[in-house]
Amino acid sequence: MTEAPRRTALDATHRALGATMTDFAGWDMPLRYSSERDEHVAVRTRAGLFDLSHMGEITVTGPQAADLLDYALVGNIGGVAVGRARYTMICAPDGGILDDLIVYRLAEQEYLVVANAANAQVVLDALTERAGGFDAAIRDDRDAYALIAVQGPESPGILKQLTDADLDGLKYYAGLPGTVAGVDALIARTGYTGEDGFELFVRPADAVALWEALTEAGRDVGLVPCGLSCRDTLRLEAGMPLYGHELTSATTPFDAGLGRVVKFEKTTNGGDFVGRAALAAAAERAASAPPRKLVGLIAEGRRVPRAGHPVVAADGTVIGEVTSGAPSPTLGRPIAIAYVDAGYATPGSEGVRVDIRGSHEPYEVVALPFYKRQK
C-alpha cells in the first residue's frame, strides 16, 4: 500500500486559503493558492509567504562536528563562522551529487544541515555512515522544525514589525536566534527566489501563529501566500539549480558549473573528503574539454520547453537536453536551463533549437541567471 503524504503543521491553513495541494516528495504541499503568475509577480515586486516545512533538518553536534562535515561534504564547513551559513553539496565517492545543502553554524560545536525533502533520508544515512571515527553526533530533526519563508523586496519591512532582531545587520547567508511575533525562531537571510528574504525555523506548534502574524503584518504591502509552482519559476529565473533536474547523482558539481563549492584546500582530515579523487578528475576535465555546459535558453517564440526535451542544432543533431523550463513572468517569454555541447554554450550561439514534440523551436543561448535583483 502507498503511504499517505505527510502534512505540515500549516496544512489546515493552506486548505482554508483554498490552496491546490499536491504530493511533493512524500508531503502534501500547496502548489498554488490562486494564479502562479500572480504569486510570482508578488514575490518579485512585493512579498510572498511560503511553507517550506517539507525540507529536511539534520543537526550535527560535538567536538569534531566541523571535522565530520569537512569530510562528509565538499565545502570548507569548519571555516564557517558562528551565525553564518554556506551553500554546499554532499557527493558520492564517484563525485556524483547526492544533494545540495545549506549548512548553518549555530554554535562552535553545533550545525544545522538543511537537505531537500526528497533527499533528506539519503543525506541523513550518508552523514551517519560517514560519522564513524568522529566525536560527533547526528540527529534527525525533521520533526522538530516548521520552516516559513517570507521573500521579496517588502520582506524586511514586514519582518521588522514582528521582531527586535537586528535585521539590518543580518547579512545574506547568515542566521541568528530571535523571536518573531513572540515565537522563538532561527532567523536566516536565505531563500530560493532570487529576492531578498528570510527563512524562519520554528517549532511546528508555533507555525500557525507565525504564519498569521506575517500575513497580517504584510497585508498593507501586498504580501500573498505562495505555492511550489511559483517557487519553481522564481528559482528558474534566478538560475538556481534544482535537484533531480540540473543536479543528479550522475552529475558532479563541475558538470553543473558549480565547481566553486568544492574546496580542495581543506586543512582538516589531512585534506581528505568523500569524493575528493573523483572530483579532482572532474575539475581537470571541466578545465580542459568539458563535454557539456549548463546554459540558459530564451525562446524566440511562445512554446514552452520542459525537462527532457532535446536541444538540437540547425541540422537536427542533438546537442543537449533541457533540465528545467517554464514561462517567465518577468521576461514575458519561455525560458529553460539546459546542458548543451560546449561548442554551443557561448552566449549568442546561433542555430540552437529545442525539439518540442517534433517542432524545432529557436532559442537564444544566454548566461545564467536570467534575472538578478537590483541591490
Side-chain angles (χ1 to χ4, degrees), residues 288-312:
S288 57
R292 286 187 170 177
K293 290 187 175 182
L294 200 61
V295 301
L297 301 175
I298 299 180
E300 295 181 17
R302 309 302 302 177
R303 298 193 70 183
V304 179
R306 299 298 183 188
H309 283 169
V311 181
V312 298

Side-chain angles (χ1 to χ4, degrees), residues 178-200:
T179 59
V180 182
V183 168
D184 290 334
L186 170 63
I187 306 168
R189 199 161 207 154
T190 47
Y192 194 52
T193 63
E195 298 296 337
D196 191 12
F198 304 87
E199 295 182 322
L200 308 172

